[in-house]
Amino acid sequence: MRLTNYTDYSLRVLIYLSTIEKGKLSNIKEIAEAYSISKNHLMKVIYQLGKNDYIETVRGRNGGIRLSRDPAEINIGEVVRKTEEDFHIVECFDENHNHCVISPACGLKHVLNKALKAYLNVLDEVTLADISYNRSVLADLFKS
């Protein structure tokens, strides 16, 4: 299973924002520079994270972004489900585009579906606070 860049960047933004002092604002430029990724990519990510109520955007001259919830309230499994387009690990997971001739008799789909459920169940057990427990170390890495 491989996450899309969109989901990867979404998780990275949340991790970055979890290292910021509560209430303080960050901005897209800072985050893009910290990770050496495109501001344009991040703009879409930031917009969606705001729509999903993970972050708060403050407009204006002194505006920016920050987490809208405590990191312990942001479930990683939920974030992944909301940011991934689909979980079509193999062609047969997509009923509309499945052309695999062995689909009716193949047992692989069931095994992969079980593995996908286990994968998501593990992510459901984890919060942003769990993956950013070492905030000060992470913050130092962003500065270098």
Side-chain angles (χ1 to χ4, degrees):
M1 169 94 207
R2 183 176 182 164
L3 297 176
T4 60
N5 284 341
Y6 189 85
T7 299
D8 179 24
Y9 294 167
S10 296
L11 294 169
R12 289 195 214 187
V13 166
L14 294 173
I15 290 169
Y16 184 92
L17 293 176
S18 74
T19 68
I20 306 291
E21 186 180 325
K22 188 173 181 171
K24 290 211 173 201
L25 296 170
S26 183
N27 61 55
I28 293 173
K29 183 178 183 234
E30 289 173 10
I31 298 169
E33 288 174 358
Y35 287 117
S36 297
I37 55 180
S38 162
K39 288 192 318 187
N40 291 335
H41 282 52
L42 285 183
M43 288 175 69
K44 296 174 192 171
V45 167
I46 298 293
Y47 174 75
Q48 194 64 41
L49 289 173
K51 276 185 69 171
N52 288 326
D53 193 37
Y54 296 119
I55 65 170
E56 174 186 4
T57 57
V58 178
R59 297 202 180 272
R61 182 177 166 173
N62 295 318
I65 56 175
R66 62 181 161 222
L67 293 176
S68 63
R69 302 187 230 170
D70 186 271
E73 297 174 5
I74 298 176
N75 181 274
I76 299 304
E78 178 185 297
V79 173
V80 169
R81 282 183 183 84
K82 287 186 176 182
T83 55
E84 279 296 303
E85 288 180 20
D86 61 57
F87 292 96
H88 299 158
I89 298 173
V90 289
E91 181 180 318
C92 59
F93 274 44
D94 183 359
E95 292 179 14
N96 296 324
H97 298 97
N98 180 18
H99 302 292
C100 182
V101 297
I102 64 171
S103 287
C106 181
L108 179 62
K109 179 178 182 177
H110 302 293
V111 172
L112 291 176
N113 192 41
K114 186 176 178 180
L116 174 61
K117 285 180 181 177
Y119 174 80
L120 292 171
N121 286 337
V122 169
L123 294 177
D124 286 339
E125 295 174 5
V126 180
T127 68
L128 180 58
D130 295 327
I131 63 173
S132 60
Y133 66 91
N134 53 348
R135 289 177 43 190
S136 61
V137 174
L138 289 166
D140 287 345
L141 291 170
F142 292 131
K143 294 173 187 171
S144 45

